[in-house]
Amino acid sequence: MRINVGNELDEASTVHWHGLSLPAEMDGGPHQMVEPGATWSPNFTIDQPAATLWYHPHPDGTTEHQV
Ligand SMILES: [Cu+2]
């Protein structure tokens, strides 16, 4: 799977996933920032049972505001 995460905010952001079993560098998190106007394209193979999965912004210090 490849997901294109485009940051259309006027500030840097990042996302991370919940429930996915995936390589750490594909998980996002507070130190993997996506600058305004940039796109981050994690790609990985999903190899787990069907589940409810979600993602949310996770920038250090502004997670609450962006969520
Ligand atoms: Cu989270």
Side-chain angles (χ1 to χ4, degrees), residues 16-18 54-58 63:
H16 89 124
W17 318 96
H18 279 263
W54 71 94
Y55 63 96
H56 66 83
H58 202 307
T63 294

Side-chain angles (χ1 to χ4, degrees), residues 2 8 11 13-15 17 19 25 27 34 38 45 51 62:
R2 170 181 289 272
E8 297 181 5
E11 60 187 11
S13 187
T14 184
V15 296
W17 318 96
E25 66 271 19
D27 191 34
V34 182
T45 299
T62 57

